[in-house]
Amino acid sequence: MNCFCKNPGHHNDSACLVCARAAEGPEETAVNHFHHGIKDLATIFFYMLVAIIMHAIIQEYVLDKINRKKHFSKTKHSKFNESGQLSAFYLFSFGWGTSILLSENFLSNPVSLWEGYPHTLMPFQMKFYFICQLGYWLHALPELYFQKTKKEDIPRQLVYIFLYLVHIAGAYILNLNRLCLVLLVLHYFVELLFHVSRLVYFSNENRQMGFTIWAVLFVLGRLLTLSLSVLTVGFGLATAENQGFDLTAGNFNILFVRITVLAAICLTQAFMMWKFINFQLRRWREHAQAQTLKKKQVPSKSKSKKDKANGVNGVNSHGADSPRARKEKSS
Protein backbone atom coordinates (compact mmCIF):
# COMPACT_ATOMS: atom_id res chain seq x y z
CA MET A 1 0.00 0.00 0.00
CA ASN A 2 1.42 3.32 -1.04
CA CYS A 3 1.05 6.54 0.89
CA PHE A 4 -0.90 9.35 -0.70
CA CYS A 5 -0.47 12.47 1.41
CA LYS A 6 -0.19 16.14 0.61
CA ASN A 7 2.44 16.67 3.27
CA PRO A 8 5.79 15.19 2.15
CA GLY A 9 6.79 14.64 5.76
CA HIS A 10 3.95 12.16 6.20
CA HIS A 11 5.11 9.74 3.48
CA ASN A 12 5.71 6.26 4.83
CA ASP A 13 6.10 3.09 2.75
CA SER A 14 4.63 0.89 5.46
CA ALA A 15 1.24 2.58 5.40
CA CYS A 16 -0.98 4.61 3.11
CA LEU A 17 -2.11 7.12 5.69
CA VAL A 18 -3.55 10.44 4.63
CA CYS A 19 -3.81 13.06 7.34
CA ALA A 20 -6.84 15.23 6.62
CA ARG A 21 -7.66 17.94 9.10
CA ALA A 22 -11.32 18.79 9.56
CA ALA A 23 -11.79 21.91 11.65
CA GLU A 24 -14.66 21.71 14.09
CA GLY A 25 -14.68 24.96 16.06
CA PRO A 26 -11.47 25.61 17.92
CA GLU A 27 -10.42 21.94 17.79
CA GLU A 28 -9.25 19.92 14.83
CA THR A 29 -9.98 16.23 14.27
CA ALA A 30 -7.61 14.00 12.32
CA VAL A 31 -9.37 11.89 9.68
CA ASN A 32 -7.34 8.99 8.29
CA HIS A 33 -7.89 7.92 4.69
CA PHE A 34 -6.37 5.07 2.70
CA HIS A 35 -6.08 3.93 -0.89
CA HIS A 36 -5.33 0.58 -2.50
CA GLY A 37 -1.86 -0.70 -3.27
CA ILE A 38 0.14 -3.84 -3.97
CA LYS A 39 0.61 -4.55 -0.26
CA ASP A 40 -3.13 -5.16 0.03
CA LEU A 41 -2.49 -8.65 -1.35
CA ALA A 42 -0.74 -9.71 1.86
CA THR A 43 -3.57 -8.29 3.97
CA ILE A 44 -6.19 -10.04 1.84
CA PHE A 45 -4.33 -13.35 2.20
CA PHE A 46 -4.25 -12.95 5.98
CA TYR A 47 -7.98 -12.32 6.20
CA MET A 48 -8.59 -15.23 3.87
CA LEU A 49 -7.02 -17.44 6.55
CA VAL A 50 -9.18 -15.74 9.18
CA ALA A 51 -12.27 -16.50 7.08
CA ILE A 52 -11.28 -20.19 6.88
CA ILE A 53 -11.02 -20.33 10.68
CA MET A 54 -14.37 -18.58 11.17
CA HIS A 55 -15.95 -20.92 8.63
CA ALA A 56 -14.73 -23.95 10.60
CA ILE A 57 -16.00 -22.50 13.91
CA ILE A 58 -19.50 -21.84 12.55
CA GLN A 59 -19.59 -25.28 10.94
CA GLU A 60 -18.48 -27.21 14.02
CA TYR A 61 -20.23 -25.37 16.84
CA VAL A 62 -23.48 -24.35 15.09
CA LEU A 63 -24.34 -26.14 11.86
CA ASP A 64 -23.09 -29.63 12.74
CA LYS A 65 -25.06 -29.62 16.00
CA ILE A 66 -28.25 -28.68 14.16
CA ASN A 67 -27.58 -31.34 11.51
CA ARG A 68 -27.23 -34.04 14.16
CA LYS A 69 -30.58 -33.07 15.68
CA LYS A 70 -32.51 -32.78 12.39
CA HIS A 71 -31.03 -35.87 10.67
CA PHE A 72 -31.05 -34.27 7.22
CA SER A 73 -30.45 -36.29 4.06
CA LYS A 74 -27.17 -35.85 2.20
CA THR A 75 -28.70 -33.37 -0.25
CA LYS A 76 -30.34 -31.29 2.46
CA HIS A 77 -27.22 -31.55 4.60
CA SER A 78 -25.01 -29.85 1.98
CA LYS A 79 -27.62 -27.19 1.16
CA PHE A 80 -28.20 -26.49 4.84
CA ASN A 81 -24.48 -26.00 5.42
CA GLU A 82 -24.21 -23.69 2.39
CA SER A 83 -27.19 -21.57 3.46
CA GLY A 84 -26.02 -21.48 7.07
CA GLN A 85 -22.55 -20.21 6.18
CA LEU A 86 -23.80 -17.68 3.63
CA SER A 87 -26.55 -16.42 5.94
CA ALA A 88 -23.98 -15.57 8.60
CA PHE A 89 -21.74 -13.84 6.06
CA TYR A 90 -24.54 -11.92 4.34
CA LEU A 91 -25.97 -10.76 7.66
CA PHE A 92 -22.58 -9.50 8.83
CA SER A 93 -21.72 -7.86 5.50
CA PHE A 94 -25.14 -6.25 5.11
CA GLY A 95 -25.06 -4.75 8.61
CA TRP A 96 -21.48 -3.53 8.27
CA GLY A 97 -22.02 -2.10 4.80
CA THR A 98 -25.19 -0.30 5.88
CA SER A 99 -23.36 1.35 8.77
CA ILE A 100 -20.68 2.61 6.36
CA LEU A 101 -23.30 3.99 3.97
CA LEU A 102 -25.00 5.85 6.80
CA SER A 103 -21.78 7.20 8.31
CA GLU A 104 -20.50 8.42 4.93
CA ASN A 105 -23.92 9.84 3.87
CA PHE A 106 -23.89 8.01 0.54
CA LEU A 107 -27.62 7.28 0.72
CA SER A 108 -28.67 10.82 1.56
CA ASN A 109 -26.43 12.24 -1.18
CA PRO A 110 -26.50 9.90 -4.24
CA VAL A 111 -24.51 12.43 -6.29
CA SER A 112 -21.48 11.48 -4.20
CA LEU A 113 -21.39 8.14 -6.03
CA TRP A 114 -19.78 9.83 -9.04
CA GLU A 115 -19.01 13.36 -7.88
CA GLY A 116 -15.31 13.93 -7.25
CA TYR A 117 -14.20 10.79 -9.13
CA PRO A 118 -11.62 9.22 -8.89
CA HIS A 119 -12.37 8.21 -5.31
CA THR A 120 -8.87 7.04 -4.53
CA LEU A 121 -9.15 7.84 -0.83
CA MET A 122 -11.25 5.68 1.46
CA PRO A 123 -11.94 5.80 5.18
CA PHE A 124 -10.52 2.90 7.14
CA GLN A 125 -13.83 1.10 7.50
CA MET A 126 -14.51 1.08 3.77
CA LYS A 127 -11.04 -0.14 2.87
CA PHE A 128 -11.19 -2.83 5.55
CA TYR A 129 -14.65 -3.85 4.28
CA PHE A 130 -13.37 -4.49 0.75
CA ILE A 131 -10.34 -6.38 2.02
CA CYS A 132 -12.60 -8.64 4.10
CA GLN A 133 -14.91 -9.17 1.12
CA LEU A 134 -12.05 -10.26 -1.12
CA GLY A 135 -10.60 -12.43 1.65
CA TYR A 136 -13.93 -14.18 2.19
CA TRP A 137 -14.59 -15.01 -1.44
CA LEU A 138 -11.02 -16.21 -1.90
CA HIS A 139 -11.43 -18.50 1.11
CA ALA A 140 -14.42 -20.10 -0.63
CA LEU A 141 -12.04 -21.75 -3.12
CA PRO A 142 -10.13 -23.98 -0.66
CA GLU A 143 -13.41 -24.58 1.21
CA LEU A 144 -14.64 -26.52 -1.83
CA TYR A 145 -11.99 -29.10 -0.91
CA PHE A 146 -12.35 -28.87 2.87
CA GLN A 147 -16.14 -29.28 2.73
CA LYS A 148 -15.85 -32.19 0.26
CA THR A 149 -18.23 -30.53 -2.17
CA LYS A 150 -19.90 -32.82 -4.71
CA LYS A 151 -18.42 -32.75 -8.19
CA GLU A 152 -21.72 -31.70 -9.75
CA ASP A 153 -21.96 -28.70 -7.38
CA ILE A 154 -18.41 -27.42 -7.94
CA PRO A 155 -19.01 -25.68 -11.33
CA ARG A 156 -22.00 -23.77 -9.95
CA GLN A 157 -20.08 -22.57 -6.91
CA LEU A 158 -17.01 -21.66 -8.96
CA VAL A 159 -19.17 -19.46 -11.19
CA TYR A 160 -20.60 -17.32 -8.39
CA ILE A 161 -17.26 -17.14 -6.54
CA PHE A 162 -15.61 -15.92 -9.75
CA LEU A 163 -18.36 -13.33 -10.32
CA TYR A 164 -18.00 -11.95 -6.80
CA LEU A 165 -14.21 -11.71 -7.05
CA VAL A 166 -14.23 -10.06 -10.49
CA HIS A 167 -16.83 -7.43 -9.59
CA ILE A 168 -15.47 -6.55 -6.15
CA ALA A 169 -11.81 -6.52 -7.22
CA GLY A 170 -12.67 -4.60 -10.40
CA ALA A 171 -14.54 -1.89 -8.52
CA TYR A 172 -11.75 -1.72 -5.92
CA ILE A 173 -9.04 -1.25 -8.54
CA LEU A 174 -11.05 1.17 -10.72
CA ASN A 175 -11.91 3.32 -7.68
CA LEU A 176 -15.63 2.64 -8.04
CA ASN A 177 -15.79 1.63 -4.38
CA ARG A 178 -18.77 3.82 -3.51
CA LEU A 179 -21.01 2.38 -6.20
CA CYS A 180 -19.81 -1.12 -5.39
CA LEU A 181 -20.60 -0.68 -1.70
CA VAL A 182 -24.19 0.39 -2.43
CA LEU A 183 -24.75 -2.50 -4.86
CA LEU A 184 -23.21 -5.04 -2.46
CA VAL A 185 -25.47 -3.96 0.41
CA LEU A 186 -28.51 -4.22 -1.85
CA HIS A 187 -27.47 -7.60 -3.23
CA TYR A 188 -26.53 -9.05 0.16
CA PHE A 189 -29.92 -8.12 1.62
CA VAL A 190 -31.76 -10.05 -1.11
CA GLU A 191 -29.42 -13.04 -0.83
CA LEU A 192 -29.75 -13.03 2.97
CA LEU A 193 -33.53 -13.32 2.64
CA PHE A 194 -33.19 -16.27 0.26
CA HIS A 195 -30.85 -18.31 2.44
CA VAL A 196 -32.82 -17.58 5.62
CA SER A 197 -35.97 -18.70 3.79
CA ARG A 198 -34.21 -21.90 2.77
CA LEU A 199 -33.16 -22.58 6.36
CA VAL A 200 -36.76 -22.06 7.50
CA TYR A 201 -37.96 -24.36 4.71
CA PHE A 202 -35.63 -27.14 5.88
CA SER A 203 -37.10 -26.92 9.39
CA ASN A 204 -40.69 -26.91 8.07
CA GLU A 205 -41.43 -27.54 4.39
CA ASN A 206 -44.83 -25.86 4.65
CA ARG A 207 -43.23 -22.47 5.31
CA GLN A 208 -42.52 -21.10 1.82
CA MET A 209 -43.70 -17.50 2.21
CA GLY A 210 -40.08 -16.32 2.41
CA PHE A 211 -39.40 -17.54 -1.13
CA THR A 212 -42.32 -15.48 -2.45
CA ILE A 213 -41.05 -12.31 -0.77
CA TRP A 214 -37.54 -13.07 -2.00
CA ALA A 215 -38.76 -13.51 -5.59
CA VAL A 216 -40.32 -10.03 -5.59
CA LEU A 217 -37.28 -8.38 -3.99
CA PHE A 218 -34.92 -10.24 -6.32
CA VAL A 219 -36.52 -8.67 -9.40
CA LEU A 220 -36.60 -5.24 -7.75
CA GLY A 221 -32.96 -5.66 -6.74
CA ARG A 222 -31.93 -6.35 -10.32
CA LEU A 223 -33.81 -3.27 -11.55
CA LEU A 224 -32.25 -1.05 -8.86
CA THR A 225 -28.79 -2.41 -9.63
CA LEU A 226 -29.13 -1.62 -13.32
CA SER A 227 -30.63 1.82 -12.62
CA LEU A 228 -27.87 2.85 -10.20
CA SER A 229 -25.16 1.50 -12.50
CA VAL A 230 -26.45 3.35 -15.56
CA LEU A 231 -27.01 6.52 -13.54
CA THR A 232 -23.52 6.47 -12.01
CA VAL A 233 -21.38 5.10 -14.84
CA GLY A 234 -23.45 5.98 -17.88
CA PHE A 235 -24.52 9.51 -16.92
CA GLY A 236 -22.61 10.66 -13.83
CA LEU A 237 -19.08 9.73 -14.89
CA ALA A 238 -19.78 10.53 -18.55
CA THR A 239 -20.58 14.14 -17.67
CA ALA A 240 -17.91 14.52 -14.98
CA GLU A 241 -15.23 17.17 -15.44
CA ASN A 242 -12.31 14.84 -14.72
CA GLN A 243 -12.18 12.82 -17.96
CA GLY A 244 -9.25 10.78 -19.23
CA PHE A 245 -6.99 7.89 -18.30
CA ASP A 246 -4.32 8.49 -15.65
CA LEU A 247 -2.97 5.38 -13.94
CA THR A 248 -0.93 7.25 -11.33
CA ALA A 249 -3.90 9.38 -10.30
CA GLY A 250 -6.28 6.40 -10.41
CA ASN A 251 -8.50 7.97 -13.05
CA PHE A 252 -10.13 5.44 -15.41
CA ASN A 253 -12.93 7.68 -16.64
CA ILE A 254 -12.79 6.90 -20.35
CA LEU A 255 -15.46 5.59 -22.72
CA PHE A 256 -13.96 2.09 -23.08
CA VAL A 257 -13.80 1.51 -19.32
CA ARG A 258 -17.33 2.83 -18.79
CA ILE A 259 -18.74 0.58 -21.52
CA THR A 260 -16.84 -2.43 -20.14
CA VAL A 261 -18.12 -1.82 -16.61
CA LEU A 262 -21.73 -1.40 -17.75
CA ALA A 263 -21.50 -4.46 -20.00
CA ALA A 264 -20.15 -6.58 -17.14
CA ILE A 265 -22.93 -5.44 -14.79
CA CYS A 266 -25.69 -5.91 -17.38
CA LEU A 267 -24.48 -9.36 -18.41
CA THR A 268 -24.26 -10.45 -14.78
CA GLN A 269 -27.77 -9.21 -14.03
CA ALA A 270 -29.08 -10.96 -17.15
CA PHE A 271 -27.36 -14.19 -16.10
CA MET A 272 -28.87 -13.94 -12.61
CA MET A 273 -32.35 -13.33 -14.04
CA TRP A 274 -31.97 -16.34 -16.32
CA LYS A 275 -31.01 -18.53 -13.35
CA PHE A 276 -33.88 -17.06 -11.36
CA ILE A 277 -36.44 -17.82 -14.09
CA ASN A 278 -35.19 -21.40 -14.39
CA PHE A 279 -35.39 -21.78 -10.63
CA GLN A 280 -38.98 -20.54 -10.53
CA LEU A 281 -40.03 -22.74 -13.46
CA ARG A 282 -38.52 -25.78 -11.76
CA ARG A 283 -40.37 -24.97 -8.53
CA TRP A 284 -43.69 -24.55 -10.35
CA ARG A 285 -43.13 -27.80 -12.26
CA GLU A 286 -42.38 -29.70 -9.05
CA HIS A 287 -45.42 -28.17 -7.38
CA ALA A 288 -47.63 -29.16 -10.32
CA GLN A 289 -46.29 -32.72 -10.24
CA ALA A 290 -46.93 -32.95 -6.51
CA GLN A 291 -50.52 -31.78 -6.99
CA THR A 292 -51.04 -34.32 -9.79
CA LEU A 293 -49.78 -37.17 -7.60
CA LYS A 294 -52.12 -36.14 -4.81
CA LYS A 295 -55.11 -36.17 -7.19
CA LYS A 296 -54.14 -39.62 -8.47
CA GLN A 297 -53.79 -41.04 -4.97
CA VAL A 298 -57.34 -40.04 -3.94
CA PRO A 299 -59.26 -42.10 -6.58
CA SER A 300 -56.85 -45.03 -6.18
CA LYS A 301 -57.68 -45.20 -2.47
CA SER A 302 -61.43 -45.09 -3.14
CA LYS A 303 -61.00 -47.74 -5.80
CA SER A 304 -59.17 -50.06 -3.43
CA LYS A 305 -62.05 -49.79 -0.93
CA LYS A 306 -64.52 -50.65 -3.69
CA ASP A 307 -62.39 -53.65 -4.66
CA LYS A 308 -62.62 -55.02 -1.16
CA ALA A 309 -66.40 -54.78 -1.28
CA ASN A 310 -66.94 -56.11 -4.81
CA GLY A 311 -64.04 -58.50 -5.24
CA VAL A 312 -60.87 -58.51 -7.23
CA ASN A 313 -60.71 -56.06 -10.18
CA GLY A 314 -64.19 -54.83 -9.41
CA VAL A 315 -65.96 -58.12 -10.42
CA ASN A 316 -69.04 -58.82 -8.30
CA SER A 317 -68.75 -62.05 -6.24
CA HIS A 318 -72.36 -63.17 -6.56
CA GLY A 319 -73.18 -66.80 -5.91
CA ALA A 320 -74.30 -67.50 -9.46
CA ASP A 321 -70.91 -66.40 -10.84
CA SER A 322 -68.76 -68.44 -8.48
CA PRO A 323 -67.06 -71.65 -9.71
CA ARG A 324 -68.75 -73.62 -6.96
CA ALA A 325 -72.19 -72.50 -8.07
CA ARG A 326 -71.55 -73.51 -11.67
CA LYS A 327 -70.30 -76.90 -10.54
CA GLU A 328 -73.43 -77.49 -8.48
CA LYS A 329 -75.59 -76.49 -11.44
CA SER A 330 -73.85 -78.91 -13.78
CA SER A 331 -74.31 -81.75 -11.38
Side-chain angles (χ1 to χ4, degrees), residues 162-177:
F162 174 77
L163 288 175
Y164 274 114
L165 288 174
V166 168
H167 284 75
I168 296 174
Y172 188 65
I173 294 172
L174 296 176
N175 294 313
L176 294 171
N177 40 68

Side-chain angles (χ1 to χ4, degrees), residues 173-239:
I173 294 172
L174 296 176
N175 294 313
L176 294 171
N177 40 68
R178 297 182 181 182
L179 174 64
C180 183
L181 180 62
V182 175
L183 298 184
L184 279 179
V185 170
L186 175 63
H187 176 74
Y188 284 165
F189 174 72
V190 177
E191 291 298 301
L192 172 64
L193 180 59
F194 171 76
H195 288 285
V196 170
S197 300
R198 192 156 74 163
L199 292 175
V200 173
Y201 173 77
F202 287 150
S203 63
N204 187 350
E205 294 186 357
N206 294 323
R207 298 177 179 177
Q208 301 188 25
M209 181 60 67
F211 289 113
T212 305
I213 300 173
W214 164 76
V216 176
L217 292 180
F218 183 90
V219 177
L220 293 177
R222 306 286 68 80
L223 293 175
L224 283 174
T225 298
L226 290 174
S227 300
L228 284 173
S229 301
V230 173
L231 179 64
T232 302
V233 181
F235 292 99
L237 293 181
T239 57

